[in-house]
Amino acid sequence: APSDDDNNTQKPSREFRVDRTRAARGAAFRSNPTPSDDLFRCTPPRPKMVFTSSSAVGLVLFALVSTASARLLTVNLQSAGNFAVLTKTGVSTVPTSVITGNVGVYPITFAAMTGFSITRPSTDAATSDQVTGFLYGNGMTGTTPSMMATAIADMETAYTAAVSIGPPDYIDHNTGELGGQIITAGLYKFGTVVTISNDCTLHGTADDTWIFQIAGTLSILPGKKIILTGGAVAKNIVWVPSGATSFGTTSHFEGVVLGKTSASFLTGSTINGRVLMQTRADFQMTTVTPTQSKYRYS
């Protein structure tokens, strides 16, 4: 199999395209799709949702595979992509964390969002000094419960679709140790745990896409980081672990984490991406910054 960090080795015959739909921010969302495919698209669940960019609607992953018969593979986050953090059983923070975007829990109640010093808990949305968007959970008034039920269902559907994409370009790359590796774009499948014990570089263009299907756990050690080079962007990276994920103290991560179980971010850890987990997520003075797509017209 070709080596990823051999600059003379050609990448697999795989082509990715990244584009977005337009949206307006506020009470009326106006969509104007481009003729091209979106990397991510998600449906705004309600007018009160807060986005980090006025040109952001959300996220749909498209991977165009150039083989003898080209195939268009998609994973659609739909309304789950409107959240920086989304879980089913709870979210905790040890202050002070900084989360840019919305935080949501369902079917558990909003009381399972702990450490946020939540205000306005009896309305259809809550606020926190640690969150730039809104906090949503079961037990709030209005349409919030149904909105959250839809977002969770969309997250679960996206996970199922993501783990089903195939065939992979690489299987058990470097036996799951990504530390010290230079990873080019493609679909990576691991039948075991993935560990990042040293800095890991993802090298590619702004249109390249990485998907990591992981049957076991995913962890990055303290102080280690994911480095993007060549124009690679976090919005084009999706990690799909079946096991728990852990992010060591002061570590830095890039990409959307679409997980089957839990995520634990230790003191001072940071992530450029989204944390979408089917159990819970715990943060200790963590910074979560979802990246937004840039328009590219073809």
Side-chain angles (χ1 to χ4, degrees), residues 92-98 114-117 128-130 267-268 283-286:
S92 72
T93 175
V94 175
T96 299
S97 292
V98 179
T114 61
F116 288 97
S117 299
S128 168
D129 289 341
Q130 299 178 68
T267 304
F283 303 100
Q284 296 178 8
M285 300 178 228
T286 299

Side-chain angles (χ1 to χ4, degrees), residues 106-129:
Y106 189 90
I108 203 163
T109 69
F110 64 86
M113 294 184 285
T114 61
F116 288 97
S117 299
I118 288 176
T119 59
R120 299 167 51 203
S122 62
T123 63
D124 59 351
T127 59
S128 168
D129 289 341

Side-chain angles (χ1 to χ4, degrees), residues 117-175:
S117 299
I118 288 176
T119 59
R120 299 167 51 203
S122 62
T123 63
D124 59 351
T127 59
S128 168
D129 289 341
Q130 299 178 68
V131 179
T132 62
F134 287 97
L135 296 92
Y136 298 91
N138 199 11
M140 290 180 171
T141 59
T143 60
T144 295
S146 61
M147 177 195 77
M148 292 307 305
T150 299
I152 291 296
D154 289 343
M155 177 180 68
E156 293 174 328
T157 298
Y159 174 85
T160 300
V163 296
S164 302
I165 294 175
D169 298 312
Y170 304 97
I171 297 176
D172 292 330
H173 174 74
N174 203 43
T175 65

Side-chain angles (χ1 to χ4, degrees), residues 12-241:
S13 178
R14 194 182 190 90
E15 177 187 355
F16 294 95
R17 300 186 61 191
V18 179
D19 293 289
R20 290 183 51 93
T21 58
R22 295 180 179 268
R25 182 180 184 180
F29 291 89
R30 302 185 299 276
S31 178
N32 180 25
T34 71
S36 317
D37 302 323
D38 292 331
L39 171 67
F40 287 112
R41 177 187 305 126
C42 55
T43 305
R46 63 199 304 267
K48 185 173 273 186
M49 300 298 285
V50 170
F51 299 95
T52 59
S53 168
S54 61
S55 62
V57 176
L59 307 172
V60 169
L61 176 63
F62 284 91
L64 179 61
V65 183
S66 299
T67 61
S69 176
R71 298 175 298 144
L72 183 65
L73 308 175
T74 67
V75 175
N76 191 341
L77 295 181
Q78 301 183 83
S79 65
N82 289 322
F83 292 86
V85 179
L86 179 64
T87 78
K88 296 173 68 174
T89 65
V91 179
S92 72
T93 175
V94 175
T96 299
S97 292
V98 179
I99 300 176
T100 302
N102 300 300
V103 177
V105 296
Y106 189 90
I108 203 163
T109 69
F110 64 86
M113 294 184 285
T114 61
F116 288 97
S117 299
I118 288 176
T119 59
R120 299 167 51 203
S122 62
T123 63
D124 59 351
T127 59
S128 168
D129 289 341
Q130 299 178 68
V131 179
T132 62
F134 287 97
L135 296 92
Y136 298 91
N138 199 11
M140 290 180 171
T141 59
T143 60
T144 295
S146 61
M147 177 195 77
M148 292 307 305
T150 299
I152 291 296
D154 289 343
M155 177 180 68
E156 293 174 328
T157 298
Y159 174 85
T160 300
V163 296
S164 302
I165 294 175
D169 298 312
Y170 304 97
I171 297 176
D172 292 330
H173 174 74
N174 203 43
T175 65
E177 172 55 78
L178 300 187
Q181 297 289 296
I182 299 176
I183 308 295
T184 54
L187 175 60
Y188 292 76
K189 186 178 184 67
F190 298 90
T192 182
V193 304
V194 167
T195 303
I196 303 170
S197 62
N198 209 331
D199 292 352
C200 172
T201 299
L202 272 58
H203 180 78
T205 71
D207 291 342
D208 284 333
T209 301
W210 292 256
I211 307 174
F212 298 91
Q213 300 169 330
I214 304 168
T217 60
L218 166 65
S219 63
I220 181 169
L221 271 59
K224 306 310 176 185
K225 56 187 177 292
I226 301 288
I227 301 170
L228 305 184
T229 62
V233 287
K235 67 183 179 64
N236 294 359
I237 305 163
V238 181
W239 304 81
V240 195

